[in-house]
Amino acid sequence: MVVLPELRKDPITDRWVIIATDRAQRPSDFAREPVEFTPGRICPFCPGMETKTPPEVLAIRDGGLGAHEVIIETSVHTENLASMPEKQVERVVWAFRERVLDLKKDKRLRYILLFKNYGAAAGATMEHPHSQLIALPVVPKRVQEEMDGAIKYFGFKERCVFCDLIRQEMKDQTRVVSETDRFVVIEPWASRFPFETWILPRRHQSHFESIDQKDLEGLAFVLRSTLRKLERVLEKPAYNFVIHTAPVQDAASDYFHWHIELMPKLTKLAGFEWGTGFYTNPTPPEESARFLRDAGLS
Ligand SMILES: [Zn+2]
Ligand SMILES: [Zn+2]
Ligand SMILES: [Zn+2]
């Protein structure tokens, strides 16, 4: 008998995902490329090497308008967001917010994307712990699709789709990894990748940069703890994360809800994905949530 995989549709973007429910892959089944340090390399991001990097914190030039910034997360080359003290992660998140607040004063910049590539398999070219910021004069397509989905949902229900999603996931519990008084961590229903993880603020907020001090502390805790769980369960995988937030020049909205999407690099996109736009995920999110809950870390 042929067991058909399960088709799931993301409620926000209408994107289809094929979840393999019959032969679910466990963490040990993935051919991982764990993050390892190459000793003896000269690093321009290490203290004392400031002359090797450009002095500017901001580079907006007419013509190819935009800005690309690198946020060095710590002076310690061998640390990462999971291993550094929580207070340091809080400083990193604070720096994210400060840079957005500063850059958004330039009214030509419509979108500010904060993201991180960790490990060569996730596209990182520098080993020293860092995140990146790219400011754009346009809203990226991926974000626009989410915005459009959220606007459509709001048009029907007069509620934020993300707030509804949080409520449903909290009730159901099967895809919840952890929850605090400020944040919820879930494996989304239509996860595109194994162990895809979303961090959402419980309180409705369209813009990341409007987080207050308590949110900063709460986010630092939950981001660090989620990365520690992933590290424990998947043996220090390469990963990417992005912060999805409303376009900086837009007023606060009732329909969009900022969040972080975190994707460990465990599989590669193949012809079927490129040809169809469908994603195939070999690990049901209910399974990955269970593994992360059982990681034995707060
Ligand atoms: Zn370094
Ligand atoms: Zn909301
Ligand atoms: Zn998103």
Side-chain angles (χ1 to χ4, degrees), residues 69 86 93 116 176 220 238:
E69 297 185 3
E86 200 178 311
V93 181
K116 181 176 172 71
V176 175

Side-chain angles (χ1 to χ4, degrees), residues 37 45 71-74 76-81 84 116 118 126-131:
F37 286 100
F45 292 171
I71 295 137
I72 313 287
E73 295 159 0
T74 166
V76 185
H77 188 94
T78 50
E79 250 178 359
N80 67 66
L81 285 176
M84 66 181 70
K116 181 176 172 71
Y118 180 67
M126 299 296 295
E127 221 173 45
H128 197 107
H130 68 285
S131 307

Side-chain angles (χ1 to χ4, degrees), residues 12-13 15 142-143 146 162 192 198 242-245 256-257 259-261:
I12 302 152
T13 56
R15 158 177 76 205
R142 273 280 148 80
V143 179
E146 266 189 15
F162 295 92
R192 289 157 291 176
W198 291 5
V242 290
I243 299 183
H244 276 165
T245 176
F256 198 74
H257 193 123
H259 55 279
I260 296 181
E261 297 188 11

Side-chain angles (χ1 to χ4, degrees), residues 183-228:
F183 290 89
V184 180
V185 183
I186 61 154
E187 305 288 290
W189 154 257
S191 292
R192 289 157 291 176
F193 310 102
F195 289 84
E196 175 175 345
T197 303
W198 291 5
I199 300 174
L200 301 124
R202 276 179 193 255
R203 188 160 58 93
H204 180 84
Q205 268 175 320
S206 55
H207 290 73
F208 161 75
E209 66 271 24
S210 56
I211 58 174
D212 62 20
Q213 179 55 31
K214 281 266 170 283
D215 290 330
L216 274 184
E217 290 165 19
L219 181 58
F221 170 81
V222 92
L223 177 60
R224 181 175 177 273
S225 90
T226 304
L227 290 171
R228 288 169 83 84

Side-chain angles (χ1 to χ4, degrees), residues 160-173:
C160 161
V161 64
F162 295 92
C163 284
D164 272 9
L165 185 145
I166 292 170
R167 232 181 327 249
Q168 267 174 34
E169 293 296 349
M170 299 293 279
K171 209 165 100 190
D172 185 81
Q173 284 290 319

